[in-house]
């Protein structure tokens, strides 16, 4: 989440937060979370000045109300920021990079999270430094004077003020506690942010090989299992990778066997669904008993926190609790360095390595993919850490897939979404992101939630009692789906010789005795893919009773490629000599297997892919799709080339996929005819010619992406109307009042709502569980063709389709022009009702209709487990969206939007129920009953 929007809300005109990063301020034994924002100020006479604004904050910072200004550090000539190795046995949660901030009178130490966002933050701070040019006037920072606390009461000199660090400005959130004045505090001096000569230079010394760290340096850096390892070369240097470097690296990869050898390392992989509980027992029986000290620990958790705060704000104290519990339970026979911690809501993954291996871990990146409703919510999905260990690339994935026995297809979809959407930035910015499959070794762990089917509970328990695990395994859903090549193709799993790990009564070894009486299942699994991998053990740990799951572990010996330095140098010399001969021999040229691409019958949110092959000639080349003149991107927004850039060795080939996907941002103009499926791509060769590719096709208009008022004029299904009629209606201006020829609400909206009202009013977790993609496509086609009678889809799929419909509206239900008024009167129901009455008739009808439906859902909360906060959160960002061009503030104002919707759900009901909800869809009256809608309007 971009937390700079919260900071922006606290700033004034002329001040702009470029980027923010969440870190930890380290002062002695104190550890305090801080939000660091790089703020730029535009000077009246031109030019800019910069300062670091440090904020205390609560949870994840979403709005300005969530942050409190703590201090300001102007970026003057004496400002420096550099990475340092931590001293002593630091206990830092989830932080990987130690940086020291220095001015003439101030010194602060922060821990920042390892990864590409921190790299970007450090780059931006480096650019903000004023430099050494004596002709440039010193920054004066007069704009910061407004942050000076003007009215201060005298205080004893012995009392240290809240912001007494010299060289900073106090924030006005703590007015009256003293602090230095602006004039006294303004720093003078000379200095620069780090050594800028090392930034962006293409010099070998900047590419510090990870093997070059001395043993003493590593010993200082890694002292216990709570220390974080970072790679200074990859965090603080941003190298311009040229074609020559890329070719050398590629040829080194091809000749890897010439200078490496295989060495086995012991990996421990563990997974534990903790059911929202805090640690109550020692984890050593799971993590370290009965095994030799692993070289690498990969430890994953699911359902770390089940609270609504964790779900919506992504913050939880349980992260620290379980991190500490794991760190204290690692094998006592070795010292470990924590390489990375990554968490998304309740899914957390920890990576540790032995102290002596820390120097050989590099290129660490972590990413998350949420597969919850609309692909946003992180209660389901996956987190992953990728890294280079010696010369082997490793990716560790921890996933929590969809629940319930019958939902195996949704689990399959979750797996595919994680695989396709999980992408890691590379150190070389010219290279495309890495996917999970592009690694030598993949370790996949988690609560995969696959169940045992075709057997009733009693038969399952009987087979478990007889320890007939192989007989029971024949009914395992994951086994069946892998056999059908629906998921985990190419992965392996060890033989299961332990009883199912789910579901137990918490605190015992007894099977579930609750009302639902869940059938036992092997939900918690570990799989792997790659060469030179030997599984040594695969077991559950029955002694742990904190959760309704049992933890699972697997120990592997993994063959890792280790570099022989002498052979490496010889191989490198041979490649460079060979390249010198070729470099100026010829101009690169390629041949393309295809240059014209036609996409037929493109539909909303339905991916189409066309591919072609680039075959290189005798000269190494680098290729890239480039922008056409006066265009911001190399292709239109509905198109993507994968990969869009890369390099080719002599006589090699690469397959390029052109992916066409129409979503909410591109559908409206395709519906209206303002855009067409037409584009020209320019493929450019470095030092070579350009190649032109033609893309064409046709788009099938849809109710998704169409304006509300246009749909109200469409009394026939969208696809039954002539294209010209659709274009005319889509481009038609929105009128305040209807002319009597419109439907009161779009028929497609009513079809979905009525389906849910009739079938899902008591559906558990409605609007919180995602649907199936194939079912969404069926729902979309049914709405666009008017064949709703043939609709066959799950309640969750219809609910998600409704949310996607609302999200795709080019003008939201509450029109953009009313956005500010809604936020201003949030909390005042009378004023809010007045704003709603000013909406155009069709928009007012839709809002009223939806509020009545949601209130009826809440009446059944005992069954569907919905509450007003959940619905306000989900629908607040859909019905009330920030105006076009102001998306930057959307997250910062999300809370007020939720409050606005919340008051209509909880106060002064609009109506007890809408007659439209109970009329058959085929009845014309249900689409034109103004009297019914008038009975639902706000008072």
């Amino acid at each position: 989440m971009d937390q700079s929007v919260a900071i922006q809300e606290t700033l004034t005109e002329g001040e702009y937060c470029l980027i923010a990063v969440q870190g930890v301020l380290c002062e002695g034994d104190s550890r305090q979370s801080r939000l660091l924002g790089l703020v730029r100020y535009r000077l009246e006479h031109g030019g800019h000045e910069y300062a670091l604004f440090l904020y205390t904050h609560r949870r994840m910072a979403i709005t300005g109300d969530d942050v409190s200004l703590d201090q300001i550090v102007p970026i003057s000539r004496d400002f420096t920021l550099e990475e340092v190795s931590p001293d002593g046995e630091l206990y830092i949660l989830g932080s990987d990079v130690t940086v020291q901030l220095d001015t003439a009178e101030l010194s602060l130490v922060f821990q920042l999270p390892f990864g590409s966002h921190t790299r970007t933050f450090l780059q931006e701070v480096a650019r903000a430094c004023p430099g050494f040019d004596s002709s440039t006037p010193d920054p004066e920072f007069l704009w910061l004077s407004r942050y000076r606390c003007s009215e201060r009461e005298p205080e004893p000199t012995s009392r240290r003020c809240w912001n007494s660090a010299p060289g900073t400005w106090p924030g006005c959130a703590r007015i009256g506690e003293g602090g230095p004045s602006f004039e006294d505090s303004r720093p003078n001096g000379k200095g620069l942010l780090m050594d800028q000569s090392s930034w962006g230079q293409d010099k070998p010394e900047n590419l510090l090989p990870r093997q070059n760290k001395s043993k003493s340096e590593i010993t200082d850096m890694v002292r216990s299992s709570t220390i974080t390892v970072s790679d200074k070369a990859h965090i603080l240097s941003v190298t311009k990778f040229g074609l020559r470097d890329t070719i050398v690296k590629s040829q080194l990869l091809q000749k890897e066997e010439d200078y490496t050898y295989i060495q086995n390392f012991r990996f421990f992989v563990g997974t534990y669904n903790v059911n929202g509980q805090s640690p109550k027992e020692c984890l050593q029986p799971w993590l370290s008993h009965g095994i030799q000290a692993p070289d690498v620990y990969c430890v994953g958790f699911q359902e770390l926190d089940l609270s609504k705060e964790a779900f919506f704000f992504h913050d939880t104290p349980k992260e620290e609790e379980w991190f500490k519990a794991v760190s204290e339970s690692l094998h006592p026979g070795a010292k470990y360095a924590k390489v990375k911690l990554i968490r998304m809501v309740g899914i957390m993954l920890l990576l540790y390595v032995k102290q002596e291996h820390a120097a050989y871990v590099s290129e660490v990146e972590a990413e998350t993919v949420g597969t919850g409703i609309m692909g946003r919510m992180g209660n389901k999905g996956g987190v992953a850490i990728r890294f280079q260990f010696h010369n082997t690339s490793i990716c560790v994935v921890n996933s929590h897939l969809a629940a319930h026995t019958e939902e195996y297809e949704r689990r399959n979809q979750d797996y595919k979404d994680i695989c396709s959407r999980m992408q890691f930035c590379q150190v070389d910015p010219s290279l495309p992101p890495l996917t999970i499959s592009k690694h030598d070794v993949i370790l996949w762990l988690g609560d995969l939630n696959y169940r045992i089917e075709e057997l009733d509970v009693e038969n399952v328990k009987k087979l478990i009692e007889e320890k007939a695990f192989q007989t029971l395994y024949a009914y395992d859903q994951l086994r069946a789906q892998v056999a059908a090549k629906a998921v985990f193709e190419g992965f392996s799993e060890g033989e299961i010789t332990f009883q199912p790990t789910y579901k137990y009564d918490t605190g015992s070894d007894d099977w579930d005795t609750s009302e639902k009486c869940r059938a036992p299942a092997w939900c918690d699994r570990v799989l792997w893919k790659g060469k030179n991998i030997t599984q040594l053990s695969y077991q559950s740990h029955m002694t742990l009773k904190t959760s309704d799951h049992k933890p699972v572990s697997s120990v592997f010996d993994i063959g890792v490629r280790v570099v022989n330095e002498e052979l490496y140098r010889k191989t490198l010399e041979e490649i460079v000599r060979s390249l010198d001969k070729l470099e100026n021999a010829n101009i690169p040229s390629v041949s393309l297997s295809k240059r014209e691409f036609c996409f037929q019958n493109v539909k909303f949110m339905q991916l189409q892919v066309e591919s072609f092959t680039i075959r290189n000639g005798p000269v190494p080349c680098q290729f890239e799709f480039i922008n056409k003149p006066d265009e911001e991107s190399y292709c239109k927004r509905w198109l993507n080339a994968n990969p869009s850039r890369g390099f080719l060795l002599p006589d090699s080939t690469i397959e390029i996929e052109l992916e066409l996907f129409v979503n909410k941002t591109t559908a409206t103009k395709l519906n209206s005819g303002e855009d067409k499926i037409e584009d020209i791509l320019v493929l450019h060769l470095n030092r070579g010619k350009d190649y032109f590719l033609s893309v064409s096709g046709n788009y099938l208009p849809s109710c998704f992406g169409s304006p509300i008022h246009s749909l109200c004029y469409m009394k026939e299904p969208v696809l039954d109307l002539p294209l010209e009629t659709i274009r005319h209606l889509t481009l038609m201006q929105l009128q305040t009042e209807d002319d009597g020829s419109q439907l009161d609400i779009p028929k497609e909206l009513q079809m979905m709502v009525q389906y849910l009202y009739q079938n899902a009013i008591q559906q558990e977790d409605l609007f919180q569980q995602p649907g199936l993609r194939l079912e969404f496509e069926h729902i979309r086609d049914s709405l666009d063709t008017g064949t709703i009678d043939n609709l066959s889809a799950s309640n969750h799929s219809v609910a998600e389709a409704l949310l996607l419909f609302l999200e795709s509206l080019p003008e939201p239900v509450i029109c953009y022009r009313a956005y500010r008024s809604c936020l201003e009167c949030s909390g005042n129901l009378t004023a809010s009702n007045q704003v709603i009455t000013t909406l155009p008739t069709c928009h007012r009808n839709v809002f009223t209709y939806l509020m009545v439906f949601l209130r009826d859902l809440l009446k059944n909360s005992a069954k569907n487990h919905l509450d007003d906060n959940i619905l306000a959160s989900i629908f607040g960002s859909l019905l009330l969206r920030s105006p076009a061009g102001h998306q930057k503030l959307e997250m910062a104002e999300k809370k007020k939007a939720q409050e606005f919707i919340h008051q209509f759900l909880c106060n002064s009901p609009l109506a007890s129920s809408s007659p439209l909800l109970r009329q058959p869809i085929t009845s014309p009256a249900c689409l034109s009953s103004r009297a019914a809608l008038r009975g639902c309007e706000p008072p």
Side-chain angles (χ1 to χ4, degrees):
M1 180 182 294
D2 182 7
Q3 297 186 82
S4 64
V5 294
I7 294 178
Q8 186 64 47
E9 195 177 46
T10 70
L11 304 178
T12 60
E13 184 178 357
E15 299 171 0
Y16 180 70
C17 183
L18 295 172
I19 188 172
V21 64
Q22 185 174 326
V24 177
L25 174 63
C26 309
E27 293 181 311
D29 294 331
S30 171
R31 302 288 178 266
Q32 299 180 29
S33 183
R34 287 291 185 273
L35 188 60
L36 288 71
L38 175 61
V39 175
R40 180 183 67 199
Y41 179 73
R42 185 179 64 254
L43 300 171
E44 291 183 4
H45 54 76
H48 299 93
E49 290 181 353
Y50 300 83
L52 275 185
F53 281 47
L54 310 181
Y55 293 82
T56 58
H57 61 101
R58 59 183 186 187
R59 303 193 185 99
M60 180 71 73
I62 296 175
T63 74
D65 294 336
D66 295 326
V67 298
S68 177
L69 184 60
D70 182 53
Q71 52 187 318
I72 299 173
V73 184
I75 299 181
S76 56
R77 292 191 191 278
D78 71 341
F79 178 98
T80 63
L81 184 70
E82 60 184 352
E83 184 179 5
V84 296
S85 296
D87 294 325
E89 297 196 4
L90 300 180
Y91 178 78
I92 307 299
L93 176 63
S95 301
D96 302 304
V97 182
T98 304
V99 295
Q100 183 164 318
L101 185 160
D102 288 306
T103 67
E105 299 176 315
L106 169 73
S107 182
L108 299 174
V109 175
F110 294 93
Q111 287 274 342
L112 304 179
F114 192 107
S116 57
H117 185 70
T118 292
R119 281 205 297 270
T120 304
F121 177 82
L122 294 174
Q123 292 171 43
E124 293 294 337
V125 174
R127 295 190 187 102
C129 185
F132 279 129
D133 188 356
S134 58
S135 63
T136 304
D138 288 344
E140 295 181 329
F141 302 109
L142 298 177
W143 56 284
L144 293 177
S145 61
R146 82 176 189 87
Y147 294 98
R148 177 181 47 175
C149 300
S150 56
E151 295 182 7
R152 296 191 180 107
E153 295 180 9
E155 63 176 36
T157 56
S158 60
R159 178 184 168 207
R160 184 178 180 183
C161 66
W162 69 276
N163 178 16
S164 58
T168 68
W169 279 268
C172 291
R174 308 275 183 104
I175 291 176
E177 289 196 45
S181 69
F182 177 85
E183 290 79 4
D184 292 339
S185 300
R186 190 174 67 200
N188 269 321
K190 298 182 173 68
L192 188 65
L193 171 65
M194 294 175 280
D195 179 6
Q196 290 195 342
S197 65
S198 68
W199 285 76
Q201 301 298 313
D202 195 11
K203 296 180 180 180
E205 56 266 27
N206 291 326
L207 296 174
L208 300 176
R210 57 185 179 275
Q211 290 86 356
N212 283 358
K213 290 182 180 176
S214 67
K215 186 174 181 180
S216 62
E217 183 182 352
I218 296 303
T219 303
D220 289 339
M221 220 163 65
V222 183
R223 295 187 182 274
S224 74
S225 62
T226 58
I227 297 296
T228 297
V229 177
S230 61
D231 188 338
K232 194 177 298 185
H234 290 100
I235 278 291
L236 293 181
S237 66
V238 181
T239 307
K240 295 178 181 177
F241 289 83
L243 174 61
R244 184 183 178 91
D245 296 324
T246 305
I247 295 170
V248 169
K249 289 178 182 178
S250 177
Q251 293 196 350
L252 280 171
L253 188 62
Q254 286 190 332
K255 298 176 179 291
E256 187 179 40
E257 292 186 3
D258 294 347
Y259 60 87
T260 62
Y261 59 93
I262 299 295
Q263 180 177 334
N264 279 338
F265 292 87
R266 183 76 38 101
F267 280 65
F268 176 97
V269 180
T271 178
Y272 194 6
N273 182 318
V274 296
N275 191 33
Q277 303 297 310
S278 294
K280 301 172 183 175
E281 51 196 345
C282 178
L283 301 182
Q284 285 185 348
W286 171 38
L287 297 175
S288 56
H289 280 182
I291 60 173
Q292 75 175 55
D295 297 293
V296 179
Y297 270 103
C298 312
V299 183
F301 294 94
Q302 307 84 40
E303 295 190 358
L304 202 73
D305 193 331
L306 299 176
S307 68
K308 291 183 178 66
E309 288 76 16
F311 186 69
F312 291 117
F313 297 102
H314 309 289
D315 197 22
T316 171
K318 290 188 170 63
E319 175 181 303
E320 183 170 1
E321 293 173 5
W322 283 101
F323 167 65
K324 184 178 181 182
V326 171
S327 298
E328 292 174 349
S329 299
L330 300 179
H331 203 287
K335 290 185 177 180
Y336 292 91
K338 187 197 69 169
V339 178
K340 189 67 183 172
L341 179 155
I342 180 72
R343 181 179 63 82
M344 177 182 67
V345 188
I347 309 171
M348 184 169 78
L349 180 61
L350 285 158
L351 176 67
Y352 300 83
V353 299
K354 271 186 179 178
Q355 168 180 321
E356 57 265 32
H357 302 318
Y360 303 97
V361 175
S362 65
E363 299 180 29
V364 182
E365 289 287 344
E367 291 295 343
T368 66
V369 170
T371 61
I373 189 78
M374 300 174 71
R376 291 177 177 174
M377 297 301 186
N379 56 320
K380 293 293 189 290
V383 302
I385 300 171
R386 64 90 50 205
F387 60 101
Q388 195 82 5
F389 188 36
H390 288 275
N391 238 47
T392 295
S393 61
I394 299 173
C395 183
V396 186
V397 185
N398 174 22
S399 67
H400 190 190
L401 308 185
H404 306 304
T405 302
E406 68 278 4
E407 298 289 359
Y408 66 90
E409 288 183 338
R410 275 217 346 255
R411 288 187 273 281
N412 295 352
Q413 179 177 296
D414 287 351
Y415 164 79
K416 292 172 184 174
D417 283 348
I418 292 169
C419 289
S420 63
R421 291 166 50 199
M422 190 78 75
Q423 296 188 334
F424 306 93
C425 296
Q426 296 204 62
V427 175
D428 182 348
S430 71
L431 295 177
L434 286 172
T435 58
I436 293 172
S437 62
K438 301 294 186 182
H439 290 82
D440 300 322
V441 173
I442 306 169
L443 302 172
W444 197 302
L445 58 111
D447 179 358
L448 306 186
N449 250 326
Y450 287 93
R451 309 301 174 90
I452 292 169
E453 55 187 0
E454 298 182 18
L455 292 177
D456 59 32
V457 175
E458 293 309 315
N459 278 326
V460 171
K461 292 179 179 178
K462 183 172 181 292
L463 289 172
I464 294 171
E465 189 176 342
E466 295 170 355
K467 297 192 181 300
F469 297 140
Q470 289 309 302
T471 303
L472 186 61
Y473 181 66
Y475 298 94
D476 177 68
Q477 284 182 340
L478 180 57
R479 182 205 63 79
Q481 295 305 304
V482 171
K485 296 186 177 181
V487 289
F488 291 104
E489 191 169 358
F491 280 79
S492 300
E493 184 182 20
E495 181 181 351
I496 296 180
T497 59
F498 50 90
Q499 69 184 48
T501 55
Y502 174 85
K503 178 182 183 180
Y504 297 86
D505 286 340
T506 301
S508 75
D509 293 333
D510 300 328
W511 297 116
D512 181 25
T513 59
S514 69
E515 182 182 349
K516 293 181 179 179
C517 194
R518 303 280 193 196
W522 286 295
C523 291
D524 310 284
R525 314 287 274 266
V526 177
L527 297 93
W528 73 90
K529 186 177 184 180
K531 297 179 180 178
N532 305 312
I533 302 175
T534 303
Q535 188 179 54
L536 304 179
S537 68
Y538 190 24
Q539 60 185 318
S540 66
H541 298 267
M542 297 294 294
T543 56
L544 272 66
K545 302 177 179 11
T546 297
S547 173
D548 56 355
H549 289 248
K550 298 297 182 183
V552 168
S553 70
S554 183
V555 177
F556 298 94
D557 269 348
I558 298 180
V560 171
R561 289 202 168 273
V562 177
V563 173
N564 180 306
E565 294 293 340
E566 184 178 351
L567 294 177
Y568 173 84
R569 282 194 294 272
K570 289 182 180 178
T571 305
L572 178 60
E573 290 169 2
E574 291 172 2
I575 292 172
V576 171
R577 280 197 299 268
S578 172
L579 189 59
D580 287 341
K581 296 177 183 178
L582 276 175
E583 197 156 47
N584 297 312
N586 293 293
I587 296 174
S589 64
V590 300
S591 62
L592 309 182
S593 64
K594 191 176 180 180
R595 297 199 192 190
E596 295 183 356
F597 305 88
C598 185
F599 294 86
Q600 295 288 344
N601 298 328
V602 176
K603 297 181 179 181
F604 179 78
M605 286 189 67
Q606 186 165 324
L607 178 68
Q608 287 196 32
V609 179
E610 293 279 344
S611 62
F612 69 98
T613 301
I614 303 176
R615 181 175 294 278
N616 193 25
V619 180
C621 77
Q622 192 159 354
F623 68 87
E624 180 181 9
F625 287 97
I626 61 172
N627 299 358
K628 298 180 285 294
D630 302 322
E631 295 193 7
E632 295 180 353
S633 176
Y634 69 85
C635 65
K636 291 188 176 180
R637 297 175 72 181
W638 37 260
L639 190 63
N640 181 58
N642 185 25
S644 62
R645 63 180 66 176
F647 67 94
L648 287 164
L649 293 172
D651 303 316
S652 64
T653 62
I654 188 170
E655 184 178 57
I656 307 294
E657 290 187 336
L658 298 183
E659 303 165 339
L660 198 158
F661 188 75
V662 175
N663 59 18
K664 61 180 181 179
T665 61
T666 54
T668 302
K669 287 192 173 182
L670 288 167
N671 280 337
S672 67
E674 295 172 277
D675 192 12
K676 296 180 179 179
I677 305 296
E678 294 177 357
D679 202 3
I680 299 292
L681 302 185
V682 182
L683 181 66
H684 172 72
L685 301 187
N686 188 14
R687 299 187 305 115
K689 60 184 286 189
D690 292 339
Y691 298 79
F692 297 89
L693 286 73
S694 170
V695 175
S696 62
N698 69 295
Y699 180 71
L700 296 181
S702 174
C703 64
F704 290 86
S706 295
I708 289 176
H709 67 282
S710 302
L711 292 173
C712 286
Y713 276 106
M714 298 180 190
K715 297 184 179 180
E716 298 177 26
V718 173
L719 291 179
D720 286 353
L721 296 171
L723 288 178
E724 282 306 314
T725 301
I726 296 171
R727 289 168 183 165
H728 170 71
L729 293 175
T730 305
L731 291 171
M732 185 173 56
Q733 292 296 311
L734 174 61
Q735 303 298 320
T736 304
E737 299 294 335
D738 65 51
D739 57 12
S741 62
Q742 294 174 265
L743 302 173
D744 290 308
I745 60 175
K747 57 188 179 303
E748 296 84 0
L749 171 68
Q750 189 188 358
M751 289 174 183
M752 289 184 283
V753 170
Q754 185 140 7
Y755 184 96
L756 295 172
Y757 191 86
Q758 293 172 348
N759 300 285
I761 201 75
Q762 296 184 350
Q763 175 69 57
E764 185 177 348
D765 295 333
L766 194 67
F767 295 117
Q768 297 173 79
Q769 294 287 349
L772 288 169
R773 186 167 296 113
L774 288 176
E775 289 189 349
F776 167 75
E777 294 171 2
H778 170 63
I779 294 165
R780 177 205 58 212
D781 292 346
S782 296
L783 296 174
D784 289 340
T785 58
T787 56
I788 196 68
D789 292 340
N790 298 327
L791 183 62
S792 175
S794 70
N795 294 334
H796 292 302
S797 293
V798 178
E800 186 170 29
L802 174 60
L803 298 181
L804 290 169
F805 174 84
L806 296 173
E807 184 185 46
S808 71
L809 293 172
E811 182 83 17
V813 174
I814 299 175
C815 301
Y816 286 128
R817 61 177 173 77
Y819 177 74
R820 290 292 169 191
S821 299
C822 290
L823 297 188
E824 289 169 4
C825 66
S826 180
N828 184 333
L829 184 60
T830 302
S832 298
N833 275 327
Q834 186 59 40
V835 174
I836 296 300
T837 61
T838 67
L839 296 178
T841 303
C842 55
H843 283 252
R844 185 170 68 246
N845 289 345
V846 169
F847 179 80
T848 302
Y849 185 62
L850 289 171
M851 290 301 104
V852 173
F853 170 57
L854 296 180
R855 287 188 59 81
D856 277 358
L857 281 179
L858 290 174
K859 292 177 183 177
N860 291 271
S861 59
K863 293 286 187 180
N864 58 36
H865 298 162
L866 287 170
D867 67 31
D868 44 21
N869 290 316
I870 291 175
L871 290 181
S873 176
I874 293 169
F875 283 86
S877 60
L878 298 175
L879 304 182
L880 185 59
R881 304 201 303 259
S882 62
H886 294 84
Q887 287 86 352
K888 183 76 175 175
L889 298 177
E890 181 180 356
M891 290 304 294
E893 295 169 349
K894 181 179 178 182
K895 188 175 180 181
K896 289 184 178 179
Q898 292 175 6
E899 290 174 353
F900 182 86
I901 300 301
H902 186 270
Q903 61 191 347
F904 285 95
L905 297 176
C906 300
N907 300 297
S908 299
L910 303 173
S912 59
S913 183
S914 169
L916 290 182
L917 289 171
R918 297 191 178 87
Q919 293 187 34
I921 295 172
T922 54
S923 168
C926 75
L927 299 177
S928 59
S929 176
R930 285 181 173 75
L933 276 168
R934 280 197 296 272
C936 305
E937 289 179 359

